Amino acid sequence: MNVFSTLSDSARRWPKRPAVIDGAGTLDYQSLWREVEALRAQLDGLGLREGQGVGVLAANGRAFIISMLAVLGCGGVMMPLYHQLKRGEIEQMLACAPLAGIVAESSDLLPDGAASRELRLLNGTRLCFSRIAGAAPGAMVPWVQDAAFLRFTSGTTGAAKGVVVTHEGALERIRAANAGLALGCEDRVLWILPMAYHFIVSVVLYLEVGAAIVVCPDHLAETVLETAARHEATFLYAAPMHVRALAADASRRRLPATCRRVLSVSSRLHPQVARDFLARYGVPVAQGYGIIEVGLPVLNLEQAAERPEAIGRPLPGFAAAILDEALKPVGDGQTGQLAVRGPGMFAGYLSPPLAREAVLSDGWFLTGDLAHRDRDGLFTIDGRSKSVINVAGHKVFPEDVAAVLDQHPAVWRSRVTTRPHPRLGEIVHADVQLREGRLPVGTEDLLAFCRRRLSGYKVPASIALVEEIELTPSGKVRHG
């Protein structure tokens, strides 16, 4: 089983169907295959060998997809690099992941001393391949057979870890996910999320089933709606921030009638935002629970409208459980750690090298998320285990507080953390970044907003207005 071969199969089955629609136009599957083969040959000529790690540093679009597949075609291990990372962040990753080189749209962010060679796509687009000085000539992950992908976790509650996924694991997980998503060659997926953080159970899946990937040029609600209408999108794959922006859109523009499904992933979606979106567009937002170590094991497919707060039930082939600190199952309605298992799980961590078997507990992957299951079998995320705030014995999930603050019309995003307190142990603090162009709002207004919606112990003891809230490389707020 090989991810690279899925594209050749798709090119034979759907040669003239659109594969990628972006700012450069439409690329059909046959043309995509030719581009990948041409770039693969160039990389092979530069001495890229099986098992070597190669980073791909590109914005959303055909260059990212072509580069990803060309690296896999050479037998390399592909590591996506978000194109908005800072140089220091890239150097930090390279210190953990001994890449042989990086395929990039621009050499501006590449490490100093990297020797670059020009690459060209068939349409004339210029890329560059930079050898990393001092890189070892052998396989990057010699202890994993058939390694295909390396991706660092978001690191919302600690240091990011390099997750290794094999070709077989990738194909297993996308096929398991599509047992629920049921995507096919007639679908046109409107793409907003960073490809660098969403590629196995998304980009690779779409290419295997012959769907078209419509790349949205930016995140603005008006652009999303215009692009969806122009290309008759059938499926919107987004994050809560995009759903919230669309729900708040004041225009009369609608999603096209072709858009039957909207999936929100990457972090918890506030149920009121989902209700507002449904009222605005007539399409329910299904939450999905995705994690790089496992894939997309849980989806709320049947009850997205009635139960928007839930991430859903495990897909066929997957299992999920709520465990206590002793790793024993808890009863329905009780909060515990979410554990999952199923097809396509990761092979292990890169550094220090840890095989999957050394990480799992009785076959379960412990996600670090706190959740509960109701009597109907629906799972709902409550927060992160490492970010829980203890206020005089009361547990506060920072995500709950942030979700309320983010509902304020003047708030762009918020970060909820803890401060020590001599009597209560801990208290809640929030940093708030306001929306540009809105009327100014004071901290007392925000506190009053919270008091009307939160239990007293959850209300922040202090709020600070900040210019910017720093996000993790995958675009998440680091709470706790």
Side-chain angles (χ1 to χ4, degrees):
M1 302 173 74
N2 187 293
V3 172
F4 179 69
S5 65
T6 62
L7 178 61
S8 63
D9 293 341
S10 297
R12 285 193 296 269
R13 296 178 68 186
W14 306 289
K16 296 303 178 184
R17 279 196 174 275
V20 183
I21 302 171
D22 60 10
T26 300
L27 192 67
D28 61 40
Y29 271 91
Q30 187 176 67
S31 300
L32 176 60
W33 172 248
R34 289 171 178 161
E35 287 279 17
V36 171
E37 274 289 270
L39 185 59
R40 184 196 62 77
Q42 293 176 68
L43 292 174
D44 186 69
L46 293 175
L48 181 60
R49 295 297 175 256
E50 185 172 349
Q52 290 186 319
V54 178
V56 173
L57 180 61
N60 287 353
R62 64 185 64 193
F64 179 92
I65 295 172
I66 292 167
S67 300
M68 172 187 75
L69 291 165
V71 169
L72 296 176
C74 291
V77 180
M78 195 280 283
M79 187 176 94
L81 294 166
Y82 186 37
H83 68 287
Q84 292 186 4
L85 287 173
K86 307 301 183 190
R87 183 186 293 270
E89 292 172 316
I90 294 176
E91 291 175 347
Q92 186 177 14
M93 287 186 177
L94 293 179
C96 301
L99 299 180
I102 297 176
V103 178
E105 286 183 306
S106 169
S107 60
D108 293 344
L109 288 178
L110 294 175
D112 294 331
S116 296
R117 297 286 297 273
E118 184 179 278
L119 304 170
R120 286 214 179 192
L121 302 184
L122 295 178
N123 70 350
T125 299
R126 295 184 179 184
L127 303 174
C128 63
F129 177 72
S130 297
R131 283 280 183 189
I132 305 301
M140 182 172 67
V141 197
W143 49 276
V144 175
Q145 281 192 328
D146 201 33
F149 298 102
L150 171 68
R151 209 208 82 183
F152 280 85
T153 59
S154 58
T156 54
T157 57
K161 298 185 288 289
V163 180
V164 182
V165 179
T166 65
H167 284 272
E168 182 178 9
L171 294 175
E172 282 182 357
R173 66 171 61 181
I174 67 173
R175 290 161 188 170
N178 210 37
L181 294 173
L183 294 168
C185 63
E186 299 292 337
D187 279 292
R188 292 189 170 213
V189 180
L190 185 60
W191 187 265
I192 310 175
L193 295 167
M195 286 186 176
Y197 295 109
H198 303 266
F199 52 94
I200 299 180
V201 193
S202 49
V203 173
V204 176
L205 167 57
Y206 309 148
L207 295 175
E208 186 184 50
V209 302
I213 303 170
V214 181
V215 180
C216 198
D218 60 51
H219 296 172
L220 297 177
E222 59 188 42
T223 308
V224 173
L225 294 171
E226 190 279 328
T227 306
R230 177 153 43 94
H231 296 290
E232 298 183 316
T234 64
F235 180 59
L236 172 59
Y237 191 75
M241 62 172 289
H242 306 123
V243 177
R244 185 154 64 100
L246 287 166
D249 177 66
S251 74
R252 295 186 177 181
R253 190 186 289 271
R254 309 282 293 177
L255 284 169
T258 54
C259 190
R260 307 183 306 274
R261 287 176 296 170
V262 176
L263 180 64
S264 176
V265 296
S266 83
S267 60
R268 189 169 51 168
L269 176 68
H270 193 282
Q272 188 56 51
V273 174
R275 295 186 190 102
D276 292 344
F277 187 96
L278 177 59
R280 170 74 170 77
Y281 298 101
V283 180
V285 182
Q287 285 205 74
Y289 181 81
I291 188 165
I292 184 60
E293 286 91 344
V294 184
L296 190 63
V298 183
L299 283 176
N300 189 0
L301 296 171
E302 294 86 14
Q303 294 177 270
E306 301 85 359
R307 299 289 302 279
E309 76 282 359
I311 58 171
R313 298 182 177 87
L315 291 174
F318 288 103
I322 305 297
L323 306 179
D324 63 17
E325 292 182 359
L327 303 184
K328 302 296 183 184
V330 304
D332 288 344
Q334 297 182 38
T335 294
Q337 183 167 186
L338 176 63
V340 291
R341 63 187 179 197
M345 286 205 290
F346 70 126
Y349 291 127
L350 175 68
S351 181
L354 272 178
R356 177 180 63 203
E357 290 71 24
V359 178
L360 303 183
S361 298
D362 292 331
W364 293 106
F365 177 72
L366 306 178
T367 65
D369 284 308
L370 296 176
H372 68 271
R373 181 184 59 206
D374 65 20
R375 65 182 62 184
D376 297 323
L378 285 170
F379 288 78
T380 299
I381 297 295
D382 296 319
R384 290 288 294 174
S385 61
K386 294 183 180 179
S387 64
V388 174
I389 301 171
N390 192 323
V391 180
H394 296 286
K395 289 185 177 180
V396 179
F397 297 113
E399 296 85 357
D400 286 343
V401 182
V404 168
L405 281 166
D406 290 347
Q407 289 298 297
H408 194 288
V411 174
W412 174 236
R413 62 171 60 100
S414 61
R415 176 180 58 225
V416 177
T417 57
T418 179
R419 297 278 175 86
H421 189 274
R423 183 169 55 86
L424 301 177
E426 293 180 299
I427 53 175
V428 178
H429 170 79
D431 293 326
V432 171
Q433 179 183 347
L434 299 177
R435 292 179 180 271
E436 293 184 4
R438 292 277 184 170
L439 291 174
V441 63
T443 57
E444 283 302 320
D445 294 324
L446 295 173
L447 286 170
F449 185 83
C450 290
R451 291 189 189 107
R452 292 193 294 269
R453 293 163 175 81
L454 290 170
S455 301
Y457 65 90
K458 295 182 181 179
V459 174
S462 58
I463 292 179
L465 301 181
V466 298
E467 290 293 324
E468 183 177 6
I469 290 177
E470 185 178 354
L471 303 178
T472 67
S474 60
K476 299 179 183 179
V477 174
R478 183 180 282 109
H479 294 288

